[in-house]
């Protein structure tokens, strides 16, 4: 690994911050779905407006996007066009059918999934602290979803979509890590967003493109595009090659806590003792992994 792709204090700070931004997204998504905007259209506008923010920044900083495209940019684009779009569509569609907490429970199987994939595909053995941190986070997600799991009427279709997310995201994050090493964060984020935009653009054209029906709808779309896509994707492009797939997943699991606390702050939800315990487990997993990453001056990504 190149020196500038080693874990550092900035990546350890930014990864949880990006998770907080991502954790706000479901709040806006629920409002837009209730307003009647379909998933493909919602995601198209998300990435369209995100690119409208990122591209001018790249031009202003004189980034040579063509040169980066000829290098690893194409790999980032194709990976997002395929695996990225698949996992995103499965997650957002699952949220339409099942409680968000259950969808996130399935999603956060992915750090363990990436450890398994790295072991099978690359022979990489994860440290015990990394495995234990992933298990703590998964247990925390389970505790936070416990109340919703017992609900009647949860459709099997939604559960199958949610189950597909950690598998597709595991492959996606491994591929992104490979292509993002050595690529500056801003161009990396642009090519990732461009792949997602093209994929959901095709879907929106095929299914019909919904537009915002009110000023509130457009404000939600802009919020998802900026604080829920452009900013956290920049953070992801910077931190992923430095922390690696499993490390990024662990540090980003603060998204779990954010989703729950957003529900308390904006939706009037109350937390059970089990959910508080789940929050503690997630934070414990993050705290357990942080010193291991900070000591990895040799550049280990697991």
């Amino acid at each position: 690994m190149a020196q500038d792709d080693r874990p550092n204090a900035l990546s350890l700070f930014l990864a949880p911050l990006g998770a907080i931004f991502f954790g706000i997204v479901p709040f806006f998504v629920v409002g837009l779905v209730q307003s009647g905007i379909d998933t493909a259209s919602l995601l198209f506008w998300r990435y369209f407006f995100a690119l409208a923010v990122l591209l001018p920044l790249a031009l202003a900083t004189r980034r040579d996007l063509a040169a980066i495209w000829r290098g690893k940019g194409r790999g980032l684009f194709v990976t997002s066009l395929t695996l990225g779009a698949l996992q995103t569509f499965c997650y957002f569609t699952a949220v339409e059918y099942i409680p968000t907490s259950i969808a996130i429970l399935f999603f956060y199987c992915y750090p363990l999934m990436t450890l398994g994939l790295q072991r099978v595909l690359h022979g990489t053995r994860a440290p015990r602290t990394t495995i234990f941190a992933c298990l703590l986070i998964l247990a925390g997600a389970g505790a936070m979803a416990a109340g919703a799991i017992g609900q009647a009427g949860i459709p099997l279709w939604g559960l199958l979509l949610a189950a597909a997310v950690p598998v597709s995201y595991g492959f996606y994050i491994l591929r992104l890590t490979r292509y993002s090493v050595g690529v500056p964060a801003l161009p990396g984020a642009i090519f990732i967003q461009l792949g997602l935009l093209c994929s959901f653009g095709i879907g929106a054209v095929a299914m019909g493109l919904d537009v915002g029906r009110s000023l509130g709808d457009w404000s939600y779309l802009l919020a998802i595009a900026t604080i829920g896509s452009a900013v956290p994707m920049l953070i992801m492009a910077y931190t992923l090659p430095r922390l690696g797939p499993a490390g990024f997943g662990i540090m980003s699991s603060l998204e779990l806590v954010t989703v729950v606390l957003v529900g308390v702050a904006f939706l009037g939800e109350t937390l059970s003792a089990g959910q508080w315990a789940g929050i503690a487990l997630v934070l414990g997993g993050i705290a357990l992994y942080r010193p291991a990453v900070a000591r990895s001056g040799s550049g280990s990504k697991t």
Side-chain angles (χ1 to χ4, degrees):
M1 181 185 349
Q3 178 69 32
D4 62 352
D5 288 325
R6 292 178 180 176
N8 56 29
L10 183 59
S11 62
L12 292 171
F13 168 75
L14 287 176
L17 181 62
I20 292 173
F21 289 132
F22 273 131
I24 299 172
V25 169
F27 169 75
F28 295 112
V29 169
V30 170
L32 288 168
V33 170
Q34 291 175 346
S35 182
I37 297 179
D38 66 80
T39 300
S41 296
L42 186 159
L43 292 170
F44 170 82
W45 290 117
R46 178 188 187 185
Y47 300 120
F48 176 84
F49 287 126
L51 274 176
V53 172
L54 295 175
L55 279 174
L57 289 176
L59 295 176
T61 54
R62 300 180 182 273
R63 292 292 186 182
D64 190 350
L65 296 179
I68 296 172
W69 171 264
R70 291 191 296 269
K72 294 184 176 181
R74 285 176 294 186
L76 291 171
F77 171 79
V78 172
T79 300
S80 295
L81 180 72
T82 52
L83 290 171
L86 174 63
Q87 65 85 20
T88 302
F89 180 80
C90 288
Y91 175 76
F92 276 84
T93 306
V95 169
E96 295 182 25
Y97 294 96
I98 64 177
T100 302
S101 58
I102 295 180
I104 292 176
L105 169 61
F106 277 99
F107 180 84
Y108 272 94
C109 294
Y110 99 82
L112 283 173
M113 178 66 66
T114 58
L115 293 182
L117 290 173
Q118 286 179 306
R119 179 65 174 160
V120 172
L121 299 176
H122 307 300
T124 304
R125 188 186 297 274
R128 292 179 181 177
T129 52
T130 301
I131 297 173
F132 190 54
C134 291
L135 289 172
L136 278 178
I137 290 166
L138 185 58
M144 283 187 265
I149 290 174
Q151 291 180 11
I154 297 177
L156 178 61
W157 172 242
L159 293 175
L160 290 175
L161 283 169
V165 173
V167 179
S168 56
Y169 195 80
F171 281 103
Y172 174 56
I173 210 75
L174 285 175
R175 298 292 293 177
L176 278 190
T177 303
R178 173 185 174 185
Y179 289 116
S180 61
V181 172
V183 176
L186 180 55
I190 286 173
F191 290 127
I192 292 170
Q193 299 274 21
L194 183 61
L196 292 165
L197 175 65
C198 289
S199 182
F200 288 109
I202 294 171
V205 169
M207 300 171 60
L209 181 62
D210 280 344
V211 297
R213 293 163 172 77
S214 67
L215 182 61
D217 288 347
W218 285 111
S219 64
Y220 273 26
L221 287 169
L222 289 172
I224 290 174
T226 52
I227 64 174
S229 192
V231 174
M233 196 63 74
L234 269 173
I235 291 173
M236 180 181 182
Y238 176 81
T239 58
L240 183 57
R242 290 165 175 81
L243 298 179
F248 175 81
I250 291 169
M251 300 305 295
S252 298
S253 62
L254 195 60
E255 178 183 351
L256 282 165
V257 178
T258 303
V259 169
V260 173
L261 295 183
V262 165
V264 172
F266 297 102
L267 302 178
E269 298 177 357
T270 57
L271 299 185
S272 66
Q275 288 174 310
W276 282 115
I279 290 174
L281 287 169
V282 171
L283 295 177
I286 296 172
L288 177 67
Y289 189 71
R290 179 181 291 267
V293 175
R295 289 196 300 267
S296 59
S298 62
S300 172
K301 287 189 178 182
T302 57

